[in-house]
Amino acid sequence: LVHHPTKDLLFAANRTAGELVVFDSKNGEIQNRIRVEKDPYDLVLTPDGSTLYCSNWGSDTISVIDTASMKVA
């Protein structure tokens, strides 16, 4: 889990589905789902929150996500 530094967004890795789930941290509602590679595991946000890095344990890769567009770069 990682929380955006300036927005009410919480990012969670869903390993079984191969996706990141973006929650509104105020009301708990799902805002978005971002497809990544196999077994997403650890999440790291840049200090300004513009880029999210996701290690994909099962595919031995890293997905880079633009948090403005919520898409894999």
Side-chain angles (χ1 to χ4, degrees):
L1 292 172
V2 65
H3 194 274
H4 195 281
T6 61
K7 298 178 182 177
D8 295 319
L9 297 175
L10 180 68
F11 298 90
N14 182 342
R15 288 183 65 191
T16 57
E19 68 182 7
L20 304 181
V21 183
V22 185
F23 293 92
D24 180 317
S25 59
K26 282 193 173 184
N27 62 25
E29 293 180 8
I30 294 174
Q31 299 296 306
N32 206 336
R33 293 177 184 269
I34 304 166
R35 191 86 181 136
V36 292
E37 295 191 32
K38 188 176 178 184
D39 296 326
Y41 187 70
D42 198 17
L43 303 175
V44 176
L45 267 170
T46 55
D48 66 359
S50 65
T51 305
L52 174 66
Y53 296 93
C54 172
S55 65
N56 302 299
W57 180 76
S59 57
D60 200 26
T61 61
I62 295 174
S63 296
V64 181
I65 295 94
D66 176 334
T67 61
S69 67
M70 295 294 175
K71 296 189 185 288
V72 177

